[in-house]
Amino acid sequence: SPMVTGTSVLGLKFSGGVMLAADTVGSFGSLARFRGISRLLKVNDSTVLGASGDLADFQHLRQLLEQMVIDEELLGDGHSYSPRALHSWLTRVLYNRRSKINPLWNTVLIAGVYGGESFLGYVDMLGVAYEAPSLATGFGAYLAQPLLRAELERDRDRLPTREEARELLERCLKVLYYRDARSFNRYEVATVTEKGVELEGPLTLEANWDIAHVV
Amino acid sequence: TTIMAVEFDGGVVIGADSRTTTGAYIANRVTDKLTPVHDRIFCCRSGSAADTQAVADAVAYQLAFHSVELEEPPRVRTAARLFQQSCYRYREELSAGIIVAGWDPRRGGQVYVVPMGGLLLRQPFAVGGSGSSYIYGFLDATFQPGMSRSQCQEFVAR
């Protein structure tokens, strides 16, 4: 059962790459206990991973992944794990743990750019896995996913630009901050493009409480 | 239980209350919840007394062995990692919230928190135990990074 947990992670494809966003809090039940945790992990130069759920299990996953990346670098054959390969591996790991009735209590988003193609995938603690142009875990699935999808469906011929995507993710994070009792207004954003991975943060959201005057 | 540890330039200040209860009865009113696991590394124990004592004894043994092999004092991070390995592996069986604090020549004073679940996190200061909930507000308002040793001692005492 989860102890210290992270809430939603958001993911969105844009023209040029993929972006992930998550807040930086680790909640101990309803207590916002650790307010400076990074839930986004750069796996290699083409992939990032964002985790929600139990953070001790996320640390365990992080150690496994780091070891895998080191082993791969030692091979020195010029190949690195593609985001799709990592997604597949993670699905197997999480499904197997679930089948032993000892799950890693995490829901994970994997984002990356490999061979010119951008990838965004979801895996949860049951081993359920899928890909989509926009994804969200936890509360985000209810609050942010509709907003992300609306933006993508507005103009089916093109993906949003990087700036549009960034703005949209921030808007979603703000909505989540307003309505998710386990969220926080400090967050990080990871952007993956052909050029590599950029991790920005921690940034702070400005909340607008003007509507309070109407009440 | 209320336990806390604060880092300052040159070391750490740790503090704890002294009550152990079995239900509503105070079994021990002079408990020492600050246990050394090595010469300059302590742990603050909260949760089940039996669990934390058992884990702390195991870690103290592992550290003693490790420092003989290393021929130098162990790093605080190593001690914290050892706690984390036990607390994460047996997370379903244990009820232990631990703060590891100490000093080593490499990184100076350090505070690491290993809450229930087995997460490992380094922080400039940490609190734990059931009593910690009541002081989060006070701590957030009063703590400033870069306090001196006596300021830290005063902070913990308050």
Side-chain angles (χ1 to χ4, degrees):
Chain A
S1 40
M3 291 283 182
V4 182
T5 56
T7 182
S8 336
V9 183
L10 308 175
L12 183 61
K13 278 194 196 176
F14 63 92
S15 74
V18 204
M19 217 181 262
L20 285 186
D23 64 25
T24 62
V25 67
S27 311
F28 193 63
S30 60
L31 173 66
R33 187 147 176 211
F34 303 110
R35 287 169 299 159
I37 300 203
S38 177
R39 299 190 291 117
L40 300 178
L41 170 67
K42 173 181 164 174
V43 182
N44 57 33
D45 287 323
S46 55
T47 330
V48 272
L49 185 146
S52 59
D54 187 80
L55 292 174
D57 286 340
F58 174 51
Q59 278 192 343
H60 175 75
L61 261 179
R62 180 190 298 215
Q63 284 183 321
L64 283 179
L65 280 166
E66 280 172 355
Q67 191 55 55
M68 262 173 69
V69 172
I70 290 174
D71 290 341
E72 192 193 26
E73 278 171 19
L74 288 176
L75 278 174
D77 58 2
H79 286 289
S80 61
Y81 287 113
S82 74
R84 196 173 291 273
L86 279 164
H87 181 243
S88 181
W89 174 83
L90 204 50
T91 313
R92 293 296 98 225
V93 169
L94 293 179
Y95 180 72
N96 271 282
R97 284 288 299 255
R98 155 265 197 215
S99 302
K100 292 190 276 193
I101 322 286
N102 180 206
L104 285 167
W105 207 285
N106 293 112
T107 310
V108 168
L109 291 189
I110 300 199
V113 176
Y114 192 79
E117 258 187 51
S118 51
F119 175 87
L120 180 59
Y122 166 107
V123 196
D124 72 10
M125 68 184 213
L126 300 174
V128 175
Y130 45 84
E131 302 169 47
S134 72
L135 288 171
T137 68
F139 244 82
Y142 301 105
L143 295 176
Q145 186 71 294
L147 295 173
L148 297 174
R149 285 181 178 164
E151 179 65 26
L152 288 171
E153 283 163 22
R154 208 165 44 87
D155 189 349
R156 283 173 208 267
D157 295 327
R158 65 169 191 91
L159 289 169
T161 66
R162 183 175 173 151
E163 291 71 32
E164 285 174 343
R166 177 59 184 270
E167 215 198 288
L168 180 57
L169 283 180
E170 281 177 0
R171 209 157 30 98
C172 290
L173 281 170
K174 208 187 281 200
V175 171
L176 285 171
Y177 177 56
Y178 289 146
R179 296 295 181 175
D180 180 2
R182 304 280 185 269
S183 62
F184 199 59
N185 65 349
R186 234 183 289 149
Y187 67 100
E188 289 178 322
V189 181
T191 314
V192 197
T193 57
E194 280 283 312
K195 296 201 214 95
V197 175
E198 284 167 55
L199 205 50
E200 296 161 72
L203 306 155
T204 314
L205 285 167
E206 287 305 317
N208 186 333
W209 298 97
D210 285 347
I211 51 161
H213 294 295
V214 186
V215 174
Chain B
T1 303
T2 316
I3 46 171
M4 75 183 283
V6 189
E7 197 182 288
F8 68 92
D9 180 32
V12 291
V13 178
I14 51 178
D17 72 312
S18 63
R19 173 180 290 190
T20 318
T21 52
T22 343
Y25 176 65
I26 301 175
N28 187 349
R29 62 183 174 94
V30 287
T31 332
D32 184 4
K33 302 182 187 179
L34 307 174
T35 350
V37 288
H38 198 79
D39 298 340
R40 287 179 172 77
I41 309 177
F42 270 69
C43 71
C44 314
R45 302 179 291 109
S46 71
S48 151
D51 286 349
T52 53
Q53 281 175 6
V55 175
D57 286 345
V59 172
Y61 159 76
Q62 289 169 322
L63 268 182
F65 196 91
H66 174 68
S67 78
V68 168
E69 284 181 318
L70 222 56
E71 290 182 352
E72 67 176 32
R75 289 195 244 178
V76 186
R77 202 179 85 167
T78 312
R81 177 63 71 187
L82 287 171
F83 268 105
Q84 189 243 0
Q85 283 175 346
S86 301
C87 293
Y88 180 66
R89 184 180 290 251
Y90 300 110
R91 62 183 289 175
E92 305 300 330
E93 288 92 351
L94 292 176
S95 166
I98 295 179
I99 301 178
V100 184
W103 182 92
D104 64 42
R106 278 196 212 224
R107 299 262 184 95
Q110 295 150 72
V111 172
Y112 293 88
V113 58
V114 184
M116 275 189 266
L119 174 65
L120 175 63
L121 210 54
R122 181 177 175 187
Q123 295 186 286
F125 79 96
V127 289
S130 48
S132 64
S133 337
Y134 302 102
I135 51 174
Y136 276 108
F138 167 71
L139 292 169
D140 285 340
T142 328
F143 177 76
Q144 282 142 15
M147 292 196 286
S148 71
R149 173 179 172 157
S150 48
Q151 282 175 317
C152 286
Q153 284 172 322
E154 212 194 293
F155 179 56
V156 171
R158 279 181 75 189

